[in-house]
Amino acid sequence: MDGANKKIKTKFFVSIDGGGIKGLMSIQIIEEIERQLEINISDADLIGGTSAGGIIAFSKMNDISSSEIADLYKSIGKNVLKFNCSNITESQSLSNTQFLITELERLFGRKNLSEFAQHRKGLVVSCLSPTPVPIDYQSFILSNYNNPHREYSEPKQMIDISVSDAIRATAGIPLLFNVPRYKGRNFLDGGYQNNNPTKIVYQEAVSLFGGAHAEDSFVFISIGAGKQVKSFGNHVVSGIKMPFEFVNNTVVPGLTGVELSSPIHRIVKFMTVASDETHQDFKKSYSHLKYFRFDPIIDRSIAVNDASDETIEYMHQKTQEYIKSSEFNEMISQLKILMK
């Protein structure tokens, strides 16, 4: 076979949305995709995630099973996200940041990114303020590889921080967590700019592997964390359960929430609304690509830190309904052909 007719090897890429506790739905979807396609998604040519999706991506790269990742999420939900006044004094956050660090170091050890899963390529998406003053946050990629050809995000070289800090950087919702810092600057949850990191993963894929054969050989799998079929408004009450609310500028105990301005408001909005908008825009802009978006449909608002048994069971049911849907199985059938 001459060079002109030589078959180009398929490369596949995985992108995983943020969504807080809704990452439990993403895990179920990934587990089913892996089962039906007989693959490990961490063996993708590149895997990337934002926030909750970043935790999943790095966990899969570290050969942590889907059930273990689900257990981690439930542990985070029950222990890390449970408000306690001591969190404020010990972690300067509403959540138990120290417990989160302990859990992450238990799973990933104290490895830096340069030592992490060297046989695989993966990234998490964060944001970083360009100055010590936490304003004007910009997209920032934390990867276990260098990419001198990266064009659309910073940095060109690997920032060799710990894996645990990289995960905390991508999942750094302000107020909820005490976020790490880099050279005196503040990281911020990647959901502020790219809760759905599909475009980032695509840009990385092209800069790493070239885009000449993207239409023929690239396969993109995008995993959502639950698409709402109706709007629940832009209030943080729809996105984060808070241990208090403000009434006439007075703190009142409760769990109904509080409306806050950017950046926390923007992050929650991106988690609940903009992920699907990003998907629709990407699908339209790159219609020539082999692109598959898996995203369950939910019909109620789920706070990113709502780890109640009722909510966990609701998410399980909705994900199982989606897995049985014709939409899901049609995409699986197409992927089986493409990834032979």
Side-chain angles (χ1 to χ4, degrees), residues 74-85:
K74 291 172 184 176
S75 176
I76 290 174
K78 301 293 185 183
N79 299 296
V80 175
L81 298 176
K82 184 178 180 181
F83 175 74
N84 188 304
C85 288

Side-chain angles (χ1 to χ4, degrees), residues 4 29 45 59 69 93 99 111 133 139 152 154 184 217 240 256 261 267 273 308:
I29 293 170
D45 293 273
S59 295
I69 302 171
S93 59
F99 186 90
K111 288 182 179 179
V133 180
S139 298
Y152 301 101
E154 292 295 330
S217 63
I240 297 179
T256 55
S261 59
I267 291 170
V273 179
S308 64

Side-chain angles (χ1 to χ4, degrees), residues 303-318:
V304 297
N305 58 335
D306 182 1
S308 64
D309 292 338
E310 177 190 358
T311 295
I312 290 174
E313 177 58 28
Y314 169 81
M315 291 189 294
H316 176 76
Q317 290 178 357
K318 286 298 179 182

Side-chain angles (χ1 to χ4, degrees), residues 35 43 58 70 83 85 91 101 125 141 161 173 203 207 210 226 235 263 267 281 299:
R35 186 186 72 80
D43 290 331
F58 272 12
F83 175 74
C85 288
S91 304
I101 293 171
V125 181
I141 293 175
I161 62 175
I173 299 178
Q203 289 160 0
S207 63
H235 295 275
I267 291 170
D281 180 62
D299 54 10

Side-chain angles (χ1 to χ4, degrees), residues 35-67:
R35 186 186 72 80
Q36 292 208 38
L37 297 183
E38 299 181 335
I39 62 170
N40 183 335
I41 65 158
S42 64
D43 290 331
D45 293 273
L46 178 65
I47 181 171
T50 296
S51 198
I55 298 175
I56 297 171
F58 272 12
S59 295
K60 295 297 293 185
M61 289 173 65
N62 205 41
D63 292 321
I64 299 171
S65 69
S66 295
S67 60

Side-chain angles (χ1 to χ4, degrees), residues 139-156:
S139 298
F140 198 85
I141 293 175
L142 296 163
S143 60
N144 70 335
Y145 60 90
N146 288 317
N147 183 6
H149 304 294
R150 188 175 290 155
E151 294 183 33
Y152 301 101
S153 297
E154 292 295 330
K156 310 296 183 187

Side-chain angles (χ1 to χ4, degrees), residues 236-274:
V236 175
V237 63
S238 297
I240 297 179
K241 287 179 105 176
M242 306 290 279
F244 53 79
E245 62 178 333
F246 284 122
V247 176
N248 296 326
N249 296 319
T250 302
V251 176
V252 179
L255 282 175
T256 55
V258 54
E259 182 179 359
L260 298 174
S261 59
S262 300
I264 188 172
H265 180 219
R266 178 184 169 108
I267 291 170
V268 172
K269 179 182 177 183
F270 268 49
M271 285 182 175
T272 56
V273 179

